[in-house]
Amino acid sequence: MSSTDHVLLVGMMGVGKTTVGRLVAAGLGRSYLDSDEQVELATGRSVPSIFTALGEPAFRLEESKALATAVSSDLPRVVSVAGGAVLDPANRELLRRSGTIVWLRARPDTIVRRVGTGHGRVLLQPDPAAAVPRLVAIRYPIYEELASCVIDVDDRSPEKVAELVLRALVRSVRVEVPGHPYDVLVGPGARRLLAGALPEGARRCVVVSQVGVGVDVEPGIDSVQLTIGDGEAAKSLRTIEDLCRAFSRAGITRRDVVVAVGGGVVTDAAGFAASCYHRGLDVVHVPTTLLAQIDAAIGGKTGVNIAEGKNLVGAFWQPRAVICDTDNLVTLPAREWRSGLGEMAKYAFLGVDDLDRLPLAEQVVRCVALKASVVAEDEREGGRRMLLNYGHTLAHALEATGFAVDTGEQGVGGAPGTAGAPAPEPLRHGEAVGIGLVFAARLARLLGRVGDDRVRRHLEVVGGYGLPTTVPTGASLDELVTLMGRDKKATDGLTFVLDGPDGVELVSGVEREVVAEALLESAGPGGLQ
């Protein structure tokens, strides 16, 4: 599964794909590529000469090769797609998997006016006025079926069209929390919309982040920059005290706003501090990791850890907005990317299908939409929202133990790192969730809720995301069971979210012996203590 999400401009000749594409690329800070230009570079011939000397089938073959090369980059691009490339079903499938498809649509008369005599455009000869409507009749139904969004270019400047494209790339998912609804903005370049997402009348902004996040934001008002420590250690009551004292020293009032820029540690800690200071400040989250974008920053759960367990102290504090700029995910280290995939795997068992076949932004949108629907129904985790903790009971226990796993070098953009000497590092949250999902499936099987085939499916999905599936060697069975007993869901003995014939649901009062058996089945080659 790739982190790449290209912007793919499709449409007829004369609609301005090249000019608009370059403007959009500049707006996003991306590279730009024109598939027709790539054909000419690869063949050493102009497009008209290929048509004339070799025929249209030869050109279409080169066109498909150029398109495949254009979308093969691990870094997201803006790509202007040759007008006729969509005629090939294989090209259409490639486009669907590769990013957001934007159709630049024009009326036939606009196209005819713009192409003039059709010089250099073989398919328009000898009469563009007759050829354009014929091509439109063939291609427009395909563009319409493919496009994620449509921008009409008639009577608009390239600059205006580019502005509309940039706006259309960002999707909005509404979280209908009673009394406090808000929008989650998802897409490349979404962080450009931060200023407009701040509460009306906000005087100052406190930007809370971490060293190394590397994402700059422009709130559009006077701002104070604060940083917290790295890792789960930063999710502490000491961090909350430090933040609140810094708010006070900076003269922050109830008319100001906190902006949390970073992963789940930042959104959890900054959100909790915002909920406490002056008994509540507005907060806007700008999550910069996959895990935070699809889970941690959505829904208003904030909190910190104490020695007795993870996330045991916190508050429900809904943000004013959440801004998920998917371009922030491109340079994530490999393990940070995989950590997000643990939550992605969870959503696969909660009803979000075929995630691995979708472009990145659409994957984020689907996960956010599911979480939004759950949060709107159950803001305070009294019922359905507990299902979002699928796989988390064991995961939180594993994280609390501080177990490490062997890793190779880290890559970027979700790609595996190059070979290197493994180094033990603490389990990331998503890695622990992967282990927890497989354990939960095994526990459900022991309880007669699912069969072997469902356990195999969990192993396939979790393993397919490159996540660990076994409890680390040397873990203490008794310690894990004790920690799971402290889980927030545990109001009637050991409590788990488990799969079953009616789907995933909460199951209380699970016998310790059965839990122990499932742990032993889930242990790595070295077993448990």
Side-chain angles (χ1 to χ4, degrees):
M1 177 177 161
S2 172
S3 65
T4 305
D5 196 7
H6 303 293
V7 174
L8 306 160
L9 303 180
V10 301
M12 291 281 289
M13 63 280 283
V15 298
K17 294 194 297 290
T18 299
T19 303
V20 170
R22 290 196 171 102
L23 291 170
V24 170
L28 293 175
R30 294 184 173 190
S31 64
Y32 169 76
L33 192 146
D34 183 300
S35 64
D36 272 348
E37 291 178 358
Q38 292 306 299
V39 169
E40 294 180 342
L41 285 172
T43 62
R45 293 172 174 265
S46 68
V47 170
S49 72
I50 297 172
F51 264 92
T52 303
L54 304 177
E56 183 173 355
F59 171 75
R60 296 301 176 199
L61 178 61
E62 294 298 332
E63 184 178 62
S64 296
K65 292 178 183 177
L67 180 60
T69 299
V71 300
S72 66
S73 170
D74 287 335
L75 294 177
R77 292 170 165 165
V78 176
V79 180
S80 292
V81 180
V86 299
L87 299 174
D88 185 333
N91 288 346
R92 295 199 294 271
E93 181 57 30
L94 180 61
L95 289 169
R96 290 188 187 96
R97 295 196 310 268
S98 299
T100 302
I101 304 170
V102 182
W103 176 18
L104 301 186
R105 182 172 63 185
R107 298 187 306 267
D109 62 290
T110 297
I111 299 171
V112 171
R113 184 178 71 254
R114 290 187 178 184
V115 300
T117 63
H119 177 71
R121 304 181 189 273
V122 177
L123 293 179
L124 297 185
Q125 303 305 318
D127 183 2
V132 166
R134 183 173 65 251
L135 293 174
V136 161
I138 296 169
R139 295 180 183 181
Y140 272 31
I142 300 175
Y143 294 145
E144 185 172 12
E145 189 271 332
L146 273 178
S148 305
C149 53
V150 181
I151 306 296
D152 288 312
V153 305
D154 306 284
D155 305 317
R156 284 174 170 155
S157 68
E159 291 76 15
K160 181 62 178 178
V161 174
E163 175 189 334
L164 293 173
V165 171
L166 288 168
R167 192 182 306 168
L169 292 175
V170 179
R171 305 265 298 278
S172 179
V173 179
R174 190 73 165 169
V175 184
E176 293 287 357
V177 176
H180 196 107
Y182 58 93
D183 292 318
V184 181
L185 306 179
V186 182
R191 67 181 181 274
R192 297 177 298 106
L193 305 178
L194 173 61
L198 298 184
E200 187 175 351
R203 298 182 314 120
R204 301 177 72 206
C205 167
V206 181
V207 178
V208 180
S209 190
Q210 290 173 310
V211 174
V213 167
V215 174
D216 296 324
V217 295
E218 296 181 7
I221 58 176
D222 182 42
S223 63
V224 177
Q225 308 285 324
L226 298 176
T227 58
I228 63 174
D230 292 330
E232 284 291 312
K235 285 182 57 174
S236 68
L237 289 170
R238 176 61 183 270
T239 295
I240 303 307
E241 179 185 0
D242 289 345
L243 283 174
C244 290
R245 293 182 67 182
F247 293 170
S248 179
R249 290 193 298 269
I252 299 303
T253 73
R254 286 181 177 175
R255 292 183 58 190
D256 301 324
V257 58
V258 175
V259 175
V261 182
V265 170
V266 175
T267 58
D268 276 2
F272 187 28
S275 76
C276 298
Y277 187 73
H278 281 325
R279 297 184 177 87
L281 296 179
D282 284 325
V283 62
V284 174
H285 293 314
V286 184
T288 60
T289 66
L290 180 61
L291 187 151
Q293 290 194 4
I294 65 176
D295 191 75
I298 316 297
K301 284 174 68 173
T302 71
V304 297
N305 309 326
I306 56 177
E308 286 71 20
K310 183 177 168 68
N311 295 330
L312 293 184
V313 180
F316 289 97
W317 191 248
Q318 298 295 341
R320 289 296 297 258
V322 180
I323 299 178
C324 300
D325 190 331
T326 50
D327 275 356
N328 289 339
L329 307 179
V330 174
T331 56
L332 286 181
R335 287 194 70 212
E336 189 63 60
W337 173 253
R338 284 197 298 271
S339 185
L341 295 181
E343 293 290 348
M344 194 80 79
K346 174 194 75 176
Y347 283 113
F349 294 109
L350 296 179
V352 185
D353 298 324
D354 298 325
L355 280 171
D356 57 343
R357 297 178 58 83
L358 300 172
L360 176 60
E362 184 62 25
Q363 293 175 46
V364 175
V365 165
R366 296 281 183 92
C367 293
V368 169
L370 186 143
K371 184 159 189 180
S373 69
V374 173
V375 170
E377 180 182 316
D378 178 20
E379 179 186 4
R380 304 243 164 192
E381 205 170 27
R384 186 184 173 203
R385 186 167 180 175
M386 290 187 186
L387 303 186
L388 295 174
N389 279 310
Y390 189 41
H392 284 57
T393 306
L394 176 59
H396 286 164
L398 288 169
E399 289 178 274
T401 65
F403 266 98
V405 294
D406 287 339
T407 66
E409 292 183 28
Q410 293 183 347
V412 296
T418 56
E425 293 185 10
L427 270 175
R428 298 292 180 93
H429 175 69
E431 293 169 335
V433 169
I435 296 169
L437 289 170
V438 175
F439 160 78
R442 289 191 167 114
L443 180 58
R445 179 179 59 187
L446 290 173
L447 293 173
R449 296 177 55 84
V450 300
D452 292 343
D453 58 338
R454 195 61 176 161
V455 176
R456 281 193 296 271
R457 180 58 182 158
H458 280 68
L459 285 164
E460 289 171 0
V461 171
V462 174
Y465 279 129
L467 296 163
T469 59
T470 58
V471 177
T473 296
S476 166
L477 188 151
D478 288 338
E479 182 183 16
L480 291 176
V481 174
T482 298
L483 288 168
M484 287 191 284
R486 296 174 183 165
D487 187 85
K488 297 186 296 297
K489 299 183 295 296
T491 57
D492 182 19
L494 285 163
T495 302
F496 299 88
V497 177
L498 297 176
D499 203 359
D502 297 322
V504 174
E505 58 188 359
L506 195 68
V507 179
S508 300
V510 181
E511 295 292 335
R512 185 187 188 284
E513 291 74 16
V514 182
V515 174
E517 185 176 351
L519 280 172
L520 291 170
E521 283 189 15
S522 302
L528 303 180
Q529 292 182 0

